[in-house]
Amino acid sequence: MTDSAQRATAVHDIAVIGAGIVGSAIARDLAGHDLSVALVEARDDVGDGTSKANTALLHTGFDAKPGTLESRLVARGYDLLGAYAEETGIPVERTGALLVAWNEEELAALPGLKEKAEANGYRRCEIIGAAEVYGLLPALGDGALGGLTVPGESIICTWTTNLALGTDAKQRGADILLGHAVTAVSRDADTGVTTLSTARGDVRARWVVNAAGLGADRIDGMFGHDRFTVTPRRGELFVFDKLARPLVDRIVLPVPTSRGKGVLVSPTIYGNVMLGPTSEDLTDRTATGTSEDGFAFLLGKGEKLMPRLLKEEVTATYAGLRAAIDHGDYLIEASPEQGYLLVGGIRSTGLTAGMAIAEHVLGLLADAGLPLAPRADVPPPPRMPNIGEATTRPYQDAARIAADPAYGRIVCFCERVTEGEIRDACHAPLPAPNLEGLRRRTRAMNGRCQGFFCGAEVGRLLATRGADTGSDEPTRQQGKS
């Protein structure tokens, strides 16, 4: 019997649709209980949708609307993800942030933002004057009137976060079903089993969690609901060369508006500097290309924020789509009579809040009658490969290279990615399915040349799964503790 045929006859206790950060976190938590769990993803890799292209900030939640579900879950998620990052090796840098006021109206808003932070339980913000702003950020453009410090804001690797959660879910026993785009939903009222029709066969489950991001409203419609509409909101960003990093040692935030946090300047985990995002509502849910108008907008913003930054080399541009909805808060609701739970409207704060959203979802499922008995044999969390610049990378680790020379053979010189890392990514519990997946796992082809010099060799190693790297056995696999 084929795998798809076996799945068509098997019934999972619960299926989670969407293997972004939120869906992967939910599947991970569920798989820590005596349940059979399926994580169903339309794409060929985890984290290949909205979750891969965001501003990669670990938020304190200082500026969330007090009293909302989002504010509570972001604050809780900040602690949960921070602890999980320590445990798994997800790269995090506690840079802090500075909110900059550029006019009298923004300056007058700073006390209210400080009060909002305190209402959200964050009490470390301080209002500072222009002289202190420029003392912290000498490269800032002229005209800043004051600022609000947010010491707890941090930068994080969104790619490793998603991969860690997905790997953890798999190692706990969840079935990771990639390339399974859900096309229809039907429920047998007699058995209480829902069938998800997908491109690669049916998936059957007693409960379904919809964490489908940009497609969450469409899945919700398949269950007979009409309660929200997702509007893809494109955010374009510039990534500057690592030589720009001395200009920016912390996150530089604008005074937020109703449309979002606005354009920021931020260091990245990988040693670069990022400028963006734009905010453009679209109708096409696949429009992740950059645009001439977006570039012009960012250049104008950058000229005011930090003109010296624009003299540095741009090494990459990219765009991501956020799942904006016509609702003022996260939309997380259970429909027990359908064995169905919606997780919708999770904006960019979903990176920070993901693990807290999973915790909240499990509470709702328990309230709805799903038996949640914690397993006694939960394996330890995976220890992820480090692709951040703040700590030792494999090419810098003499002992590791002595034990396995593949970690000393650099393939991508821009990002210092080695054959050993590519081999490990090919043999991991969730292996790289393609070049983009390999890029997210190792940083290969992510530097100045964007794969011009290393792309052919990286592609060859992916095709051979690193078999000719001088190590016959992939003993240091990603995800092994």
Side-chain angles (χ1 to χ4, degrees):
M1 185 179 291
T2 65
D3 288 346
S4 59
Q6 287 177 330
R7 284 195 297 274
T9 57
V11 178
H12 289 87
D13 291 312
I14 192 158
V16 181
I17 303 174
I21 284 172
V22 173
S24 296
I26 293 169
R28 169 192 172 273
D29 269 14
L30 288 166
H33 297 77
D34 285 326
L35 298 168
S36 59
V37 179
L39 181 57
V40 182
E41 168 56 42
R43 297 172 183 259
D44 291 330
D45 198 7
V46 300
D48 193 31
T50 298
S51 292
K52 74 181 178 184
N54 56 45
T55 49
L57 303 184
L58 180 58
H59 288 300
T60 59
F62 80 98
D63 59 347
K65 184 178 179 180
T68 59
L69 180 61
E70 181 179 19
S71 69
R72 177 166 65 82
L73 296 183
V74 170
R76 173 65 174 156
Y78 178 83
D79 293 333
L80 289 175
L81 182 52
Y84 189 68
E86 287 281 339
E87 198 173 17
T88 58
I90 297 168
V92 174
E93 289 185 47
R94 304 288 183 174
T95 60
L98 180 61
L99 197 83
V100 179
W102 293 97
N103 55 49
E104 293 294 341
E105 182 180 357
E106 292 177 351
L107 188 66
L110 296 183
L113 286 168
K114 185 173 185 292
E115 291 173 5
K116 178 186 279 190
E118 291 169 353
N120 284 319
Y122 189 77
R123 295 177 174 81
R124 297 178 60 199
C125 292
E126 297 292 340
I127 295 173
I128 62 175
E132 291 174 277
V133 167
Y134 285 104
L136 294 173
L137 288 166
L140 207 62
D142 294 337
L145 302 181
L148 182 74
T149 64
V150 193
E153 294 284 293
S154 307
I155 57 176
I156 189 169
C157 181
T158 184
W159 299 335
T160 307
T161 299
N162 208 145
L163 191 59
L165 293 166
T167 299
D168 212 350
K170 181 177 177 63
Q171 293 187 166
R172 290 179 173 200
D175 290 329
I176 312 297
L177 307 180
L178 302 173
H180 283 66
V182 176
T183 56
V185 170
S186 61
R187 182 171 175 82
D188 187 321
D190 294 329
T191 63
V193 173
T194 296
T195 298
L196 305 176
S197 301
T198 84
R200 295 187 181 177
D202 292 346
V203 179
R204 303 170 73 218
R206 296 180 180 86
W207 269 90
V208 175
V209 175
N210 172 9
L214 286 167
D217 58 340
R218 293 176 176 173
I219 299 294
D220 201 47
M222 293 178 190
F223 279 88
H225 299 280
D226 183 19
R227 46 187 157 182
F228 72 107
T229 299
V230 169
T231 299
R233 183 167 292 165
R234 181 165 62 183
E236 301 179 50
L237 300 103
F238 285 160
V239 179
F240 290 86
D241 188 73
K242 293 175 177 60
L243 294 175
R245 182 62 182 266
L247 297 175
V248 188
D249 66 352
R250 69 198 64 219
I251 305 157
V252 185
L253 298 171
V255 175
T257 69
S258 60
R259 285 187 62 81
K261 298 182 186 301
V263 173
L264 57 86
V265 179
S266 175
T268 76
I269 282 293
Y270 320 114
N272 303 93
V273 173
M274 179 175 60
L275 171 68
T278 60
S279 181
E280 179 187 7
D281 287 347
L282 305 173
T283 56
D284 184 353
R285 302 187 190 207
T286 65
T288 56
T290 54
S291 68
E292 185 176 345
D293 287 346
F295 284 4
F297 176 81
L298 290 177
L299 289 172
K301 288 289 187 179
E303 185 63 38
K304 178 174 178 59
L305 286 168
M306 193 171 287
R308 287 171 57 186
L309 180 62
L310 298 189
K311 294 180 172 58
E312 301 293 334
E313 185 173 349
V314 174
T315 60
T317 61
Y318 69 94
L321 297 177
R322 290 160 279 177
I325 69 168
D326 45 356
H327 193 76
D329 198 358
Y330 290 170
L331 188 55
I332 305 177
E333 296 179 0
S335 302
E337 71 284 357
Q338 293 182 289
Y340 171 63
L341 191 147
L342 166 68
V343 182
I346 311 301
R347 294 171 280 276
S348 60
T349 53
L351 166 57
T352 300
M355 295 186 76
I357 292 170
E359 190 178 69
H360 180 66
V361 164
L362 261 66
L364 293 178
L365 290 170
D367 291 343
L370 180 69
L372 290 174
R375 289 171 45 195
D377 60 343
V378 176
R383 188 70 188 175
M384 305 306 293
N386 172 48
I387 61 173
E389 285 293 288
T391 52
T392 303
R393 299 269 307 286
Y395 80 93
Q396 299 168 313
D397 191 335
R400 192 171 189 181
I401 293 167
D404 186 343
Y407 293 115
R409 292 195 287 270
I410 294 176
V411 177
C412 171
F413 282 86
C414 294
E415 297 297 301
R416 302 293 192 267
V417 179
T418 67
E419 287 185 0
E421 292 170 275
I422 293 174
R423 176 202 63 205
D424 291 352
C426 291
H427 292 274
L430 292 177
N434 49 39
L435 287 173
E436 284 305 307
L438 192 62
R439 183 194 295 263
R440 292 193 295 275
R441 286 161 174 80
T442 66
R443 286 172 45 184
M445 307 183 302
N446 212 44
R448 272 190 170 195
C449 82
Q450 290 291 295
F452 181 83
F453 291 107
C454 67
E457 179 66 5
V458 170
R460 184 182 67 81
L461 290 170
L462 177 65
T464 61
R465 294 173 59 80
D468 57 347
T469 64
S471 175
D472 294 330
E473 192 66 33
T475 56
R476 292 165 179 80
Q477 293 182 15
Q478 174 182 305
K480 296 298 183 185
S481 300

